[in-house]
Amino acid sequence: MDPGHLPASSLSRQSSFLDTGLTGWVDCFPSISPEAAENGALAHPVPDHGDLWWRRWEITDRTAYGVSLQVDAPESGVVAKRSIEWNDRALKVITEISSQSTDPMPFVLASHPLFAVGDGLWVDIPNDVLRWESSSSWGGDEPDLDGLWPPGPDRVRHWPVREKAGCAKVFVPWPQGGVHFGRAGRAWLYDWTDRPEGANLGLWLNQGAIPAGQPLDHWAPEPTVGSADSLTVCVEQGTAGLLPSGGHTLMTVVLSLRDP
């Protein structure tokens, strides 16, 4: 994980996501981008990166190899639970969102790890781009992932992405074999084991562009229910999830150490 910057001493709904220090691993729900209540998809406004990251999670269980946490998000009418377990050579992270509402709720759910980058990083990701997000600061239209982050002679993508600073967000279909990457003689597999049909990989790249004045380098491979950061766009495209009244949804991602 990228160490980022020191987080703010306190976070609230009014905080900027930059106040997190851009470090760690957060869940984005019910949208990644901010949403206004009048969009019709939700009964309340949603801050940038969702309703969960700025809240204090309560530890509900702890073992020698893992921890369970829980937080209430009354504005969204849900309870979120997360379990993190290290087992042998794998880290398993399970997020469960349970409805406390009498109405069904459309949602976007993304697991948002901010991984460190640098010389030696390589990533094996296919080129099937579903949607180019509008958050690019590199300028111009990139027709595909190869145009943004071209593979090398060994057919994998190596950091750095570009010679100049910039950032971008793209979505690709979830790779059936997961995301394979490595650095400094170690290789990892990042997989979404209970992914639904039509699952997406959101790929966030930041090469010395954010935050202004104290730029960082990181990449975030985000297992995502939805085909865009915006819940409104996902509802329009028919890719949003739907949390039924009293129901729940699960997302299980596994980061496992592999032989190079």
Side-chain angles (χ1 to χ4, degrees):
M1 304 303 298
D2 192 285
H5 297 306
L6 187 67
S9 57
S10 63
L11 297 172
S12 70
R13 173 177 282 274
Q14 287 72 43
S15 298
S16 165
F17 189 69
L18 297 179
D19 292 340
T20 63
L22 295 182
T23 185
W25 190 330
V26 303
D27 292 313
C28 302
F29 178 92
S31 182
I32 304 173
S33 62
E35 295 285 331
E38 57 268 21
N39 68 15
L42 296 169
H44 68 285
V46 176
D48 183 29
H49 284 74
D51 259 339
L52 302 180
W53 61 268
W54 49 273
R55 301 179 188 272
R56 183 176 297 277
W57 291 63
E58 175 187 359
I59 296 176
T60 57
D61 190 29
R62 184 186 282 116
T63 69
Y65 303 102
V67 63
S68 297
L69 308 104
Q70 178 175 310
V71 67
D72 293 343
E75 296 89 348
S76 290
V78 300
V79 173
K81 297 180 180 179
R82 184 185 238 201
S83 67
I84 305 168
E85 180 183 18
W86 177 261
N87 184 6
D88 191 20
R89 291 159 61 92
L91 179 71
K92 179 185 287 187
V93 180
I94 303 175
T95 300
E96 178 180 5
I97 308 291
S98 299
S99 170
Q100 308 291 302
S101 174
T102 58
D103 299 314
M105 177 183 182
F107 69 87
V108 168
L109 173 61
S111 189
H112 189 293
L114 288 170
F115 288 137
V117 300
D119 292 342
L121 172 72
W122 57 266
V123 180
D124 186 2
I125 299 176
N127 187 44
D128 301 323
V129 170
L130 278 184
R131 183 170 186 270
W132 175 262
E133 284 281 305
S134 60
S135 54
S136 172
S137 69
W138 267 299
D141 292 331
E142 298 295 342
D144 54 21
L145 190 58
D146 286 346
L148 171 68
W149 192 3
D154 53 3
R155 301 177 62 184
V156 300
R157 307 175 197 279
H158 296 266
W159 199 267
V161 179
R162 289 289 183 87
E163 293 182 0
K164 66 175 183 177
C167 60
K169 179 70 177 286
V170 298
F171 283 86
V172 302
W174 182 263
Q176 294 303 303
V179 179
H180 195 208
F181 67 98
R183 185 182 178 189
R186 291 198 169 185
W188 299 84
L189 177 65
Y190 185 55
D191 204 7
W192 182 1
T193 59
D194 55 0
R195 61 185 178 271
E197 184 178 354
N200 290 292
L201 168 66
L203 182 62
W204 164 245
L205 305 171
N206 175 32
Q207 184 182 335
I210 296 176
Q214 292 183 297
L216 296 167
D217 291 339
H218 37 42
W219 71 295
E222 305 172 18
T224 306
V225 176
S227 58
D229 281 356
S230 166
L231 175 59
T232 301
V233 170
C234 291
V235 169
E236 292 172 351
Q237 294 182 347
T239 61
L242 185 66
L243 185 64
S245 172
H248 71 278
T249 188
L250 285 174
M251 175 180 280
T252 304
V253 291
V254 179
L255 179 64
S256 54
L257 186 63
R258 298 298 176 98
D259 295 328

